[in-house]
């Protein structure tokens, strides 16, 4: 499919924002003609608060970030409807404001194998050596041996150790089962700070990948002191064939131009939204292709094997992140619905539209292209600092 053959996005305010948007504290980053701005959703507009908070990192350093932005005012960047519409990269006017990924200097980290079903799929990838034609048979054998209802098993528990011994006896043990059932969570670097794309942008696949998928996730937004301050939707784009050939290819499977998407806005914790809301979130995934294919799926964070707060704790227990961090919490999705050939499951095609949605965070929509062909990542930390300095903003 040519990159020009794309499916329309729904950029209406009601389709993008959380259902209770009027009560939500929503923070984003908006590209303007003078450079990136930190903005807050207020009514039907986005208000520029960059003079008070030059970066999202500055905001997260506040004792009560939600209260801080609620008390802050600034000029309007434009109507929310117009900015959302202009965020669709296929029809974007670069001289008008559009959304970026709503985080900036934070380390972008991700967790793997935190759901039972995705754990099984990781073992399938490894056993199949990246070959989708072998996946279905291996999947059936594995499910028969261990089942899929592993939600009650707490990683690192006596029950998990007993299951490990059973699987080792059947010669089914895997490094993925180790991080799924063991004490230590899998946490890796997804991309560099400022390397994520936002709502409406293209996400990128490695051109040699023939088996890949979206990974819809909730990401925790964490302050420099390790406190979780809010949450955002994310797509941890994944190459199943690369990682399946070797776990040592994780960096190439996970970190490509446009392979990290976050948005549309960070929702800060306040009286209307907190960690318990994250723990119970139901996430929907819709992939629609120009070939007429459509995938619809859903899951709940209530099925996660590790508590989100424990994942954040493990990230910070032996490291410091002076600019804060964003932590993808993992996904139960590894789509198995056949797309082209029976038994080979799902893989992306160029031009696919991916929608990830949950009632409390809204909808993150992106289109799928090839990493070398989509817009290259040019604006890193140095570009941000130069832009702030040129505008006379003290940081």
């Amino acid at each position: 499919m040519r990159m020009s053959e794309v499916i329309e996005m729904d950029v209406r305010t009601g389709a993008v924002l959380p259902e209770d948007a009027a009560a939500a504290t929503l923070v984003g980053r908006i590209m303007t003609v003078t450079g990136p701005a930190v903005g807050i959703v207020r009514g039907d507009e986005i208000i520029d608060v960059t003079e008070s908070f030059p970066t999202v990192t500055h905001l997260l350093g506040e004792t009560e970030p939600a209260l801080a932005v609620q008390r802050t005012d600034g000029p309007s960047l434009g109507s929310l409807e117009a900015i959302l519409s202009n965020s669709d990269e296929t029809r974007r006017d670069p001289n008008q404001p559009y959304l970026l990924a709503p985080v900036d200097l934070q380390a972008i980290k991700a967790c793997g194998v935190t759901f039972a079903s995705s754990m099984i799929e990781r073992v399938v990838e490894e056993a199949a050596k990246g070959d989708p034609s072998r996946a279905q048979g291996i999947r059936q054998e594995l499910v028969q041996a261990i089942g899929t209802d592993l939600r009650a098993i707490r990683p690192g528990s006596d029950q998990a150790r007993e299951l490990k011994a059973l699987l080792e006896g059947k010669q089914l043990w895997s490094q993925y089962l180790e991080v799924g059932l063991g004490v230590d969570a899998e946490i890796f670097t997804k991309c560099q700070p400022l390397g994520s794309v936002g709502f409406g942008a293209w996400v990128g696949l490695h051109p040699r990948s023939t088996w890949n998928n979206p990974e819809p996730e909730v990401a925790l937004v964490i302050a420099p002191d390790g406190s979780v301050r809010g949450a955002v939707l994310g797509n941890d784009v994944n190459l199943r064939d690369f990682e399946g050939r070797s776990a040592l290819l994780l960096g190439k499977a996970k970190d490509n131009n446009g392979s990290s998407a976050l948005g549309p806005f960070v929702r800060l914790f306040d009286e209307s939204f907190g960690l318990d809301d994250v723990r119970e979130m139901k996430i929907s995934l819709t992939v629609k292709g120009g070939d007429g294919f459509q995938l619809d799926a859903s899951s709940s964070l209530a099925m996660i094997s590790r508590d989100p707060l424990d994942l954040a704790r493990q990230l910070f227990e032996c490291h410091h992140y002076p600019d804060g961090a964003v932590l993808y919490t993992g996904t139960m999705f590894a789509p198995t619905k056949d797309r082209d050939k029976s038994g080979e499951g799902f893989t992306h095609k160029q031009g696919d539209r991916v929608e990830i949605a949950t009632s409390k965070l809204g909808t993150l929509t992106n289109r799928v292209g090839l990493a070398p062909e989509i817009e290259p990542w040019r604006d890193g930390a140095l570009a941000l600092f130069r832009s702030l300095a040129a505008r006379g903003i003290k940081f």
Side-chain angles (χ1 to χ4, degrees):
M1 174 180 291
R2 296 192 306 274
M3 296 276 279
S4 59
E5 295 176 356
V6 296
I7 301 166
E8 286 298 307
M9 297 171 100
D10 192 343
V11 295
R12 294 172 301 157
T13 301
V16 177
L17 296 188
E19 290 181 359
D20 60 340
T25 306
L26 301 175
V27 176
R29 293 181 70 245
I30 298 88
M31 180 56 79
T32 73
V33 290
T34 58
V38 177
I40 57 173
V41 176
R42 187 167 289 168
D44 296 329
E45 295 182 306
I46 297 184
I47 302 300
D48 185 353
V49 295
T50 314
E51 288 281 352
S52 300
F53 307 107
T55 68
V56 176
T57 297
H58 284 86
L59 173 57
L60 295 180
E62 294 285 322
T63 304
E64 297 182 75
L67 187 59
V69 295
Q70 290 164 9
R71 291 173 173 173
T72 302
D73 206 355
S76 174
L77 289 168
S79 77
L80 180 60
E81 181 179 1
I83 292 173
L84 289 176
S85 179
N86 197 47
S87 298
D88 182 346
E89 196 169 346
T90 63
R91 58 187 184 190
R92 178 177 296 166
D93 179 352
N95 295 312
Q96 297 298 320
Y98 58 89
L99 291 183
L100 301 169
V103 296
D104 40 47
L105 300 178
Q106 295 78 16
I108 309 297
K109 311 292 275 190
C111 299
V113 202
T114 54
F115 288 79
S117 58
S118 65
M119 179 173 66
I120 288 173
E121 286 304 310
R122 289 291 181 263
V123 179
V124 169
E125 289 167 14
E126 182 180 50
K129 303 298 183 185
D131 180 359
S133 65
R134 299 178 57 204
Q136 185 60 24
I138 296 168
R139 184 178 299 114
Q140 290 175 348
E141 179 184 0
L142 189 63
V143 169
Q144 288 173 359
I146 67 174
T148 57
D149 190 7
L150 302 177
R151 287 170 291 173
I153 298 178
R154 295 293 95 186
S157 66
D158 290 341
Q159 193 177 12
R161 284 189 285 273
E162 290 172 4
L163 178 57
K164 176 179 179 179
L166 172 66
L167 293 169
E168 286 176 332
K170 292 179 176 291
Q171 297 184 331
L172 286 172
W173 188 250
S174 160
Q175 58 197 333
Y176 292 108
L177 293 170
E178 175 63 41
V179 294
L181 298 174
V183 174
D184 297 306
E186 179 190 13
I187 302 178
F188 56 91
T189 297
K190 175 60 182 175
C191 71
Q192 297 301 302
L194 291 163
S196 299
V197 300
F199 173 88
W202 291 86
V203 295
L205 302 171
H206 195 289
R208 286 193 285 109
S209 175
T210 59
W211 189 21
N212 44 66
N213 64 279
E215 291 195 356
E217 305 185 23
V218 173
L220 304 177
V221 180
I222 309 173
D225 66 358
S227 303
V228 181
R229 300 296 200 187
V232 63
L233 285 171
N235 185 356
D236 175 14
V237 182
N238 179 55
L239 311 181
R240 300 191 69 181
D241 45 5
F242 276 61
E243 188 177 357
R245 284 192 283 122
S246 171
L248 297 180
L249 292 174
L250 180 67
K252 186 165 284 190
K254 290 289 190 178
D255 187 4
N256 296 284
N257 182 37
S259 66
S260 169
L262 294 165
F265 298 95
V266 169
R267 182 167 185 175
L268 295 176
F269 289 165
D270 57 16
E271 294 162 349
S272 70
F273 178 67
L275 196 60
D276 285 340
D277 293 291
V278 172
R279 290 184 173 113
E280 298 299 321
M281 275 186 173
K282 293 179 173 60
I283 303 172
S284 67
L285 167 70
T286 301
V287 179
K288 190 170 184 180
D291 57 354
F293 176 87
Q294 182 162 326
L295 171 71
D296 295 289
S298 63
S299 74
S300 170
L301 258 76
M303 299 176 68
I304 199 169
S305 300
R306 300 179 188 269
D307 186 74
L309 203 58
D310 180 59
L311 295 172
R313 180 194 61 78
Q314 289 203 35
L315 176 64
F316 275 76
E317 68 180 349
C318 290
H319 211 328
H320 299 91
Y321 295 92
D323 296 316
V326 173
L327 182 61
Y328 286 84
T329 54
T331 183
M332 70 172 291
F333 287 106
T336 59
K337 180 180 178 180
D338 290 334
R339 184 167 196 172
D340 291 321
K341 296 181 181 179
S342 177
E344 292 197 4
F346 170 85
T347 195
H348 272 306
K349 293 181 184 293
Q350 290 188 67
D352 280 354
R353 186 190 69 196
V354 180
E355 292 181 348
I356 298 167
T358 186
S359 62
K360 290 284 188 176
L361 294 177
T363 302
L364 171 62
T365 306
N366 300 95
R367 294 191 182 90
V368 178
L370 297 181
E373 296 178 5
I374 66 174
E375 186 70 19
W377 176 37
R378 293 189 177 94
D379 295 330
L382 186 58
L384 172 60
F385 295 149
R386 284 173 171 164
S387 173
L388 292 172
R391 286 177 276 168
I393 297 172
K394 296 180 180 180
F395 55 91

